[in-house]
Amino acid sequence: MGRYVARRLLQMIPVFIGTTLLIFLMVYSLPGDPVRALWGDRPVDPVALNQLRHEYWFDRPVLLQYWHYISNVFTGNFGTSFVTGRKVTDVIGESFPVTLRLALVAFAIEIVIGLALGLLSGLNRGKIADKFVLGLTLLLISVPVFVLGYIFQTVFGNQLGWVTPTVQDSNDISQLILPGVVLGSLSFAYVARLSRTSIAENMRADYIRTAVAKGLPRRRVIGVHLLRNSLIPVVTFLGTDLGALMGGAIVTEGIFNVHGIGNELYRSINQSDNATVVGIVTVLVIIYLVTSLVVDLLYAALDPRIRYV
């Protein structure tokens, strides 16, 4: 196991470098001069313009800029925003915990509701409960997130008054429940469908018939044998979805006024704040790589037939 983890960590290095290089080149090759845009319609001071370009390495070749950036990243320095003058690590440090809490609320909702609906549907394949779950999940998959967000905001916030329509305190996790439901709605629909298919297939497996023939209690057959072996494709989706929840929270955070990574990324893109955009995306890449490793290690815990050497 130790050798496998070490090998995977070494494989992450070229993946990380290749991904961040691609992102860096895409962001910094966009047309326009972000430093010149700081002056807007006002006359430009050539001395100050050249000084800022030199300070933020805009007067060097793009590959040299990337080498400077990635060298600082490995020391924990993600650069400084030339728009706000703040360190990118400070910006991420303020907004990242908010998005993390929102993503964890959505993640918990998709696990609990998604697995419950998938188990209900898989155990009652072809019955009314199965058709209801399939219809509900198809509806959630078909409705865009921004539409669902405005519906939930209008119904539960403005009309019923159960929650505040917009988040007043992003550090209050109770106010993140409604945006968490919206953010996790598409994901728990996929979880329900994945788990439903996997459970329905495993219900016909030989080891399930053997467990039933041996007289094991139904709770043990479902909980230990059926559900454990049916979770492998679900765990794969959940592992990659945690990073997607954090990166895809831009729309949800905008609707519910959540001051997290999504809002900060949207602001940075609008203001051509390249350093902040690349820094945030770099953190998301790291999250994807770590969750991918954790998912691979969970396979062995779920299926004893899987061994890593």
Side-chain angles (χ1 to χ4, degrees):
M1 177 70 76
R3 292 170 57 189
Y4 173 79
V5 174
R7 194 163 61 246
R8 281 298 308 274
L9 291 174
L10 290 175
Q11 291 173 354
M12 286 182 181
I13 296 176
V15 173
F16 173 76
I17 293 176
T19 308
T20 52
L21 175 60
L22 180 61
I23 295 166
F24 191 91
L25 293 176
M26 290 174 62
V27 171
Y28 280 83
S29 63
L30 292 175
D33 187 347
V35 180
R36 170 64 181 83
L38 294 176
W39 274 265
D41 296 331
R42 296 172 298 169
V44 179
D45 182 358
V47 177
L49 180 67
N50 293 330
Q51 183 179 354
L52 282 174
R53 282 177 176 167
H54 181 75
E55 181 181 351
Y56 292 100
W57 285 64
F58 285 112
D59 57 349
R60 277 84 156 183
V62 65
L63 291 179
L64 190 59
Q65 293 180 43
Y66 173 75
W67 175 253
H68 173 73
Y69 169 75
I70 204 67
S71 301
N72 289 329
V73 165
F74 284 114
T75 63
N77 181 11
F78 286 79
T80 304
S81 168
F82 60 86
V83 176
T84 62
R86 300 179 61 197
K87 287 188 173 296
V88 176
T89 50
D90 295 338
V91 175
I92 296 175
E94 288 183 3
S95 56
F96 183 80
V98 176
T99 300
L100 181 61
R101 283 192 290 269
L102 176 61
L104 290 178
V105 169
F107 196 65
I109 289 172
E110 72 176 84
I111 290 177
V112 174
I113 300 180
L115 287 180
L117 290 178
L119 186 61
L120 174 67
S121 180
L123 294 177
N124 298 277
R125 187 170 184 176
K127 298 181 180 179
I128 297 178
D130 181 30
K131 295 178 180 178
F132 170 76
V133 171
L134 289 177
L136 175 63
T137 53
L138 181 60
L139 177 64
L140 291 174
I141 292 172
S142 304
V143 178
V145 174
F146 65 88
V147 175
L148 192 66
Y150 281 119
I151 292 174
F152 275 51
Q153 189 180 54
T154 302
V155 174
F156 297 105
N158 295 328
Q159 296 182 357
L160 297 178
W162 292 356
V163 294
T164 55
T166 58
V167 175
Q168 306 300 320
D169 183 7
S170 298
N171 295 317
D172 185 0
I173 197 168
S174 63
Q175 297 188 29
L176 298 178
I177 294 178
L178 185 61
V181 171
V182 173
L183 181 61
S185 60
L186 177 62
S187 298
F188 85 66
Y190 281 125
V191 169
R193 283 178 165 260
L194 275 174
S195 55
R196 179 253 183 195
T197 302
S198 185
I199 288 171
E201 290 178 355
N202 286 322
M203 279 290 292
R204 301 190 296 267
D206 291 339
Y207 67 89
I208 294 296
R209 287 196 291 265
T210 302
V212 174
K214 289 168 63 177
L216 294 179
R218 180 176 174 81
R219 179 181 299 178
R220 181 174 177 82
V221 172
I222 295 175
V224 177
H225 297 280
L226 176 62
L227 193 57
R228 180 177 178 180
N229 288 280
S230 301
L231 283 179
I232 292 180
V234 179
V235 166
T236 303
F237 175 80
L238 290 175
T240 57
D241 191 54
L242 181 59
L245 288 175
M246 300 189 65
I250 298 177
V251 176
T252 307
E253 289 184 1
I255 294 173
F256 292 96
N257 191 36
V258 180
H259 299 290
I261 285 288
N263 255 337
E264 193 61 43
L265 186 60
Y266 180 74
R267 179 203 65 78
S268 302
I269 294 173
N270 279 340
Q271 297 180 357
S272 298
D273 190 354
N274 297 346
T276 305
V277 172
V278 175
I280 291 175
V281 176
T282 299
V283 172
L284 296 178
V285 169
I286 295 173
I287 293 173
Y288 269 108
L289 292 174
V290 172
T291 52
S292 176
L293 176 61
V294 173
V295 166
D296 285 348
L297 297 179
L298 283 176
Y299 286 161
L302 291 172
D303 192 342
R305 296 171 296 180
I306 299 175
R307 289 292 180 265
Y308 297 119
V309 292

